[in-house]
Amino acid sequence: MARLGSWIEPFPEGIYVKPADAWVDPSQPKERALVTHGHADHARGGHGAVWATAETLAIMDVRYGQQNAHAVAYGERVRIGEVEVSFVPAGHVLGSAQIILDYGGERVVVSGDYKRRPDPTCAPFEVTPCDIFITEATFGLPVFHHPDTASEIDRLLHRLHAEPDRCILVGAYALGKAQRVIAELRARGHDAPIYYHGAMERLCRLYEELGVPLGELRPVADAKKEELQGRIVICPPSALNDRWSRRLPDPVTAMASGWMRIRQRARQKNVELPLIISDHADWDELTQTIKDVAPKEVWITHGREDALMHWCMLHQVKARELNLVGYEDEDD
């Protein structure tokens, strides 16, 4: 009798689905690629054909040029080779999806990156029971407990109002995190213009084209220094401490990331206002998701695998590490 999931084969560069002759999130160009979301460690250019949600394909077009694309809506089922494939929301960023693979009476769910808490910019994670759950473990240590997002946004706004002669410079990744921070600010009643670094423009515009309202946004390049006093400015993390930020009025340096839980990381980046806002599941979300999905086996793609493997063992769930390479923390 073949072992469970024998038709799925992990390689360092991705997950190969043999009866579909297709790869999930391959880090190298492949003839057929199934892509969970648009971050660069999961979505690459150069594939022969790509299956993904319409939003992910739009993001890939902006980042890599036009793809040989097959758009798959949430809940739609398509047949690739001998495998029934469908996509359901992952709650990570706009267009992110878990990929459901049905073959030979077995169901495998590849989570991609995901989170369980609400996000105004994307559809919420959908629990899908399966035989094998292939999960990330970016924050797979018990120390990672992400706080309530609204409380972190309120901290940002409190600091803004407390020092009206300065600006708050928020480092946030250009895809997903930047738009989420803007949308969360709007949800907390911050209606003032928000300023952005030029690297944010294309994806913020795309989000709005795809139906995610972000309010009034203005480029920093067009603003005078005094205009930026008492304002919030969004930039890539790489711009927090470079020459570009010198044009700003005494900025309070902030960064929105799950890694801001670790004080040393905040100090290394000279972050004055660490904001623990993550687009990945924390420890409790990872373990609760495994309970909810109730798989026979858990396969862990990347992250802090050891602790999650140990948790699975204690809860009598068979688990294995896949040791995929090329998956980074680009999005957090």
Side-chain angles (χ1 to χ4, degrees), residues 172-183 200 204 214 234-235 279:
Y173 285 104
L175 170 57
K177 185 64 63 63
Q179 296 79 21
R180 182 183 175 199
V181 168
I182 293 168
M200 302 295 187
C204 284
L214 299 176
I234 308 288
C235 73
D279 285 329

Side-chain angles (χ1 to χ4, degrees), residues 89-139:
H92 180 55
V93 297
L94 182 63
S96 62
Q98 305 168 76
I99 298 177
I100 304 173
L101 306 167
D102 288 302
Y103 173 76
E106 295 177 2
R107 169 166 285 186
V108 174
V109 172
V110 185
S111 74
D113 292 335
Y114 67 97
K115 65 178 179 292
R116 299 296 300 271
R117 59 193 63 208
D119 179 338
T121 69
C122 65
F125 181 93
E126 185 174 308
V127 172
T128 304
C130 57
D131 298 298
I132 297 175
F133 185 54
I134 303 180
T135 180
E136 61 140 319
T138 300
F139 290 107

Side-chain angles (χ1 to χ4, degrees), residues 29-102:
K30 300 293 183 182
E31 190 59 34
R32 292 177 170 180
L34 315 178
V35 176
T36 59
H37 67 282
H39 279 134
D41 54 343
H42 292 257
R44 317 276 174 140
H47 301 304
V50 178
W51 284 260
T53 64
E55 295 86 351
T56 293
L57 291 169
I59 290 165
M60 292 180 70
D61 284 352
V62 166
R63 288 188 143 188
Y64 310 117
Q66 192 161 6
Q67 309 295 306
N68 179 11
H70 302 269
V72 184
Y74 290 136
E76 180 184 356
R77 296 177 67 86
V78 297
R79 190 170 185 87
I80 303 175
E82 301 173 39
V83 180
E84 292 286 334
V85 179
S86 52
F87 289 61
V88 297
H92 180 55
V93 297
L94 182 63
S96 62
Q98 305 168 76
I99 298 177
I100 304 173
L101 306 167
D102 288 302

